[in-house]
Amino acid sequence: MRMLKYVVKRLLMLIPVIIGVTLLIYVVMSLAPGNPAELILGSDATQEAIAAKEAELGLNEPVLLRYGKYMLNVLRGDFGRSWYNGYNVIDEFMSRVPNTIILGLLSVSLSIVVGIPFGILAAVRQNGVIDYATLVVAMLFASMPAFWFGLMAQIFFCIQLGLLPAVGADSLVHFIMPAITLSGGSIAGMVRLTRTSMLEVIKLDYVRTARAKGASERRIISRHVLRNGLLPVVTSVGSHLAVIVGGAIVTESVFSIPGTGSLMINAVKIRDVPVVMGVIIIIAVFVGCVNLLVDLLYAVIDPRVKLG
Amino acid sequence: MAIIRVAYTGIKGIGNGCPSKRARGIFMKKGKKAKLSNKSQMGMIIFRFKKNKLAMVGLAIIAFLMLLCLSASLYIDYQDVYSQSMANRFIPPFTTREHIFGTDQFGRDLFARIIYGGRISLLASIGVVALSLVAGVVVGGFAGYFGGRVDNILMRICDIFMAVPRMLLAMAVVSALGQGTFKMLIALSLAQFPQFARTVRASIINLRNQEYVEASKCCGTSSVRIIFKHVVPNGLGPVIVSATLALGSTILAISSLGFLGIGVESPTPEWGTILSENRTNIRYYPYLGLVPGIFIAISVMCLNFCGDGLRDALDPRTKN
């Protein structure tokens, strides 16, 4: 019951956040210089045509009124149409989102599957060769721009060696290189976080007790240290996901994947307000829900954490 | 290092602050580093930072890069950044004296473009961090100091900015404001400042309840003295660390926006923009991609080393 109350409270708290984000972007976009109707029709359009287009887009009304109408429509599931290409924003988004979801899921799983074991290994063999090697590689990946790594990997593995397809999203194989590119940074973060949090737990008294009573090293790590050591790592998955959603934009651009990121970039370049707004709203809601889920998960795996 | 560790982990309660008399005694007894005992807290921090080789190397390289970029006009003709020469297209690097890093598809000198691009990449990231730091300190300071309703409202505003991934928010703001270096600076600062606000707030709330602040209040110390002598020096640490790390991530963000074509606009050189201009030719002339990428990676890595070094220097307890 308390959990349900907490979930409802958190979901309600999401509303002002969404309103704040959308209002900010909507108002700034509307106040930006340049008449959208003129931009859409081109410089040789007649005054009448521009006026008609303005009326069609509802640009004659006050900004706040327009914003209110827009948000009411959003609540009904209508995100409007693109100013420039005329497509329905939500349909276009839905047709592209599977590619982004595949890419995101692959990247998150990759960073968990690779990041956590190496972090544990580095912590268990603290100050050993493996520890330093992992940290150096992690540091390298954290410092490289993802798009640069993607470009270089694309040229080397896909074009020079021809091992993997370089562009497109036709099959799962197409996602291997993009997923590696996208997860590079978060693998690095995961390794470092796992290592630090494991090392913190290894120092604790109850681990010493386990050693003293003669438990094997394997049992100490897997039974005693891991359970507490991985708690912060679990909570970090949420923030990693946010980073991955942001990074997906760049990766999709490098590998020419028709996902939501490329939709966003094109819309940003031509200032297509309905498209930018739609993508931002959906992603903000998504990130908010993921963070809520992570917090709930945290309370489930760690009974000391009280929700509310 | 071992001596310091003895001093800092052996005795309780001297983790953050000047070494107590007992700690000094240990330094003396060991017979070495006796000079250390006279150092102020700042001196101790600098001493620990200097001991960290990686951090020092990082600092040296980043300082060298900054110097190289800022004094660019002394050894590079500004004309070289833009002047095209179809006869000199795609000269490979390290083959001629005039073009150390070679030339691009228009015969422009890559070295000149990288160095002048570094000015934008490095200076813009400093600008973003400075701008968002000011906003973050003001917002976080108010929230932490006043607490209660003010805190609640300000932090909810920060939540708004943190609800959307940083890169996406920056893109949305760029699309609202239009393109341009300065507008990108504003967009990235807007996306960055809530993090600083949170750090500052946490730091202030943490300090407000510290015993030594209470103790100096009891001694009748004035608020001004408490703030400047106790709260600021101790609370600044985490903020400096996160600012240093933010410098690196901002360089990455600026170059990503440049690469996507919504940051600094070509032909103005910026490391990400240079990569994006040469994108189609990297396949045949890999150096066009390698050189700018290496510059980005090295500067971000060095800043990360500095940040980690600072964190360890400011709080010796985090050192394993």
Side-chain angles (χ1 to χ4, degrees):
Chain A
M1 195 56 214
R2 211 176 70 233
M3 195 132 170
L4 188 73
K5 209 172 152 190
Y6 176 75
V7 171
V8 173
K9 198 176 138 199
R10 281 283 300 263
L11 285 177
L12 287 177
M13 269 164 66
L14 208 57
I15 295 173
V17 169
I18 301 291
I19 293 179
V21 175
T22 49
L23 189 64
L24 176 87
I25 291 164
Y26 200 90
V27 171
V28 177
M29 273 186 141
S30 312
L31 295 180
N35 183 347
E38 241 177 272
L39 287 173
I40 295 166
L41 294 171
S43 51
D44 48 347
T46 59
Q47 281 300 324
E48 290 80 34
I50 289 174
K53 192 78 185 173
E54 272 180 359
E56 183 195 325
L57 297 175
L59 292 174
N60 300 326
E61 290 164 5
V63 181
L64 286 180
L65 189 66
R66 259 191 289 153
Y67 172 75
K69 278 186 180 170
Y70 173 78
M71 286 311 279
L72 278 179
N73 283 335
V74 166
L75 283 181
R76 294 192 199 105
D78 175 15
F79 284 78
R81 287 180 173 279
S82 157
W83 280 355
Y84 293 86
N85 304 318
Y87 54 73
N88 189 315
V89 173
I90 192 75
D91 291 347
E92 184 69 16
F93 186 87
M94 283 306 165
S95 73
R96 282 161 173 266
V97 86
N99 286 331
T100 308
I101 290 179
I102 296 174
L103 181 59
L105 280 183
L106 275 178
S107 307
V108 172
S109 351
L110 204 64
S111 53
I112 291 172
V113 170
V114 179
I116 294 179
F118 273 100
I120 295 173
L121 213 61
V124 174
R125 303 245 181 285
Q126 194 196 354
N127 296 330
V129 181
I130 300 177
D131 187 20
Y132 283 117
T134 353
L135 283 187
V136 167
V137 174
M139 204 62 183
L140 256 171
F141 269 95
S143 312
M144 267 191 284
F147 63 87
W148 182 63
F149 176 74
L151 270 178
M152 291 299 154
Q154 188 183 39
I155 288 164
F156 187 70
F157 291 106
C158 307
I159 297 174
Q160 304 272 2
L161 298 180
L163 292 176
L164 295 161
V167 291
D170 302 329
S171 68
L172 263 184
V173 183
H174 283 84
F175 285 99
I176 296 177
M177 219 52 235
I180 294 175
T181 304
L182 186 50
S183 56
S186 71
I187 289 178
M190 205 71 115
V191 167
R192 288 169 54 118
L193 184 68
T194 312
R195 178 178 179 272
T196 354
S197 104
M198 289 281 291
L199 284 179
E200 248 160 45
V201 177
I202 283 178
K203 277 191 301 203
L204 292 181
D205 287 341
Y206 81 91
V207 177
R208 194 188 298 169
T209 311
R211 283 229 168 82
K213 75 176 187 189
S216 70
E217 193 61 28
R218 177 178 289 272
R219 193 181 160 83
I220 291 173
I221 297 297
S222 64
R223 271 305 182 94
H224 300 277
V225 181
L226 268 187
R227 289 201 176 174
N228 280 317
L230 286 187
L231 288 180
V233 181
V234 172
T235 32
S236 79
V237 171
S239 58
H240 278 293
L241 204 72
V243 172
I244 279 175
V245 169
I249 302 173
V250 185
T251 312
E252 282 175 12
S253 154
V254 172
F255 291 95
S256 311
I257 295 172
T260 52
S262 45
L263 182 72
M264 178 78 179
I265 295 173
N266 294 333
V268 165
K269 277 184 183 161
I270 55 177
R271 251 167 74 190
D272 200 338
V273 177
V275 181
V276 175
M277 292 286 293
V279 175
I280 292 277
I281 292 176
I282 297 172
I283 287 178
V285 171
F286 172 73
V287 171
C289 292
V290 168
N291 283 333
L292 173 60
L293 271 180
V294 168
D295 285 354
L296 290 179
L297 190 66
Y298 199 28
V300 170
I301 57 175
D302 186 355
R304 286 169 304 179
V305 174
K306 294 268 187 292
L307 295 174
Chain B
M1 203 63 228
I3 298 159
I4 299 172
R5 205 173 290 163
V6 169
Y8 272 84
T9 52
I11 300 162
K12 269 188 179 174
I14 57 161
N16 52 351
C18 290
S20 68
K21 272 186 185 157
R22 273 185 78 187
R24 284 183 202 170
I26 285 177
F27 285 125
M28 298 301 199
K29 249 181 247 167
K30 295 271 173 180
K32 294 178 199 166
K33 310 275 188 267
K35 261 165 72 187
L36 208 78
S37 57
N38 302 328
K39 282 187 177 159
S40 63
Q41 195 184 358
M42 198 60 182
M44 296 290 294
I45 291 168
I46 294 173
F47 178 81
R48 282 194 294 263
F49 188 79
K50 278 188 184 163
K51 278 266 169 185
N52 190 334
K53 287 194 190 80
L54 268 181
M56 284 308 279
V57 170
L59 186 67
I61 294 178
I62 208 74
F64 175 70
L65 269 178
M66 290 291 274
L67 205 69
L68 208 63
C69 292
L70 288 178
S71 61
S73 53
L74 295 178
Y75 57 90
I76 295 174
D77 188 359
Y78 187 61
Q79 289 293 317
D80 287 351
V81 179
Y82 296 104
S83 71
Q84 306 186 353
S85 153
M86 286 304 159
N88 294 326
R89 296 171 70 202
F90 300 122
I91 296 177
F94 306 116
T95 48
T96 57
R97 213 164 249 262
E98 295 87 66
H99 307 291
I100 302 175
F101 289 160
T103 54
D104 66 4
Q105 52 182 333
F106 300 115
R108 294 179 296 199
D109 182 32
L110 195 58
F111 181 70
R113 288 185 71 72
I114 290 280
I115 296 297
Y116 272 90
R119 277 188 163 185
I120 296 182
S121 301
L122 296 175
L123 288 184
S125 77
I126 292 176
V128 167
V129 169
L131 211 63
S132 47
L133 200 56
V134 171
V137 167
V138 171
V139 172
F142 268 108
Y145 189 78
F146 289 112
R149 191 171 287 171
V150 180
D151 180 27
N152 217 339
I153 293 172
L154 287 176
M155 281 303 113
R156 290 295 84 73
I157 293 176
C158 286
D159 281 350
I160 290 176
F161 287 97
M162 295 184 80
V164 183
R166 212 167 74 126
M167 193 68 192
L168 214 64
L169 184 66
M171 281 177 73
V173 178
V174 165
S175 79
L177 296 174
Q179 257 169 286
T181 309
F182 183 69
K183 286 164 185 164
M184 176 196 69
L185 224 129
I186 304 263
L188 284 173
S189 308
L190 264 180
Q192 176 67 48
F193 95 92
Q195 271 185 21
F196 287 143
R198 283 201 165 184
T199 315
V200 172
R201 173 179 170 270
S203 190
I204 286 186
I205 288 180
N206 182 24
L207 284 171
R208 225 175 30 187
N209 304 324
Q210 288 279 320
E211 277 142 8
Y212 64 83
V213 173
E214 208 172 314
S216 32
K217 256 184 212 159
C218 295
C219 295
T221 319
S222 71
S223 313
V224 176
R225 196 180 155 81
I226 290 180
I227 289 172
F228 286 104
K229 273 282 176 186
H230 299 292
V231 176
V232 171
N234 285 302
L236 223 51
V239 182
I240 294 174
V241 171
S242 61
T244 316
L245 295 174
L247 273 178
S249 65
T250 308
I251 292 181
L252 285 181
I254 291 175
S255 62
S256 301
L257 287 176
F259 176 75
L260 292 175
I262 45 181
V264 177
E265 280 171 298
S266 188
T268 310
E270 184 276 325
W271 292 342
T273 319
I274 296 174
L275 267 168
S276 136
E277 297 169 340
N278 294 315
R279 196 173 160 179
T280 43
N281 297 310
I282 290 177
R283 190 173 162 183
Y284 310 104
Y285 307 97
Y287 68 91
L288 287 174
L290 279 173
V291 176
I294 287 172
F295 270 82
I296 300 174
I298 285 183
S299 30
V300 176
M301 182 143 52
C302 290
L303 284 167
N304 284 345
F305 283 146
C306 286
D308 286 351
L310 272 175
R311 178 167 34 214
D312 292 343
L314 285 163
D315 188 358
R317 283 169 303 180
T318 57
K319 196 86 185 164
N320 333 301

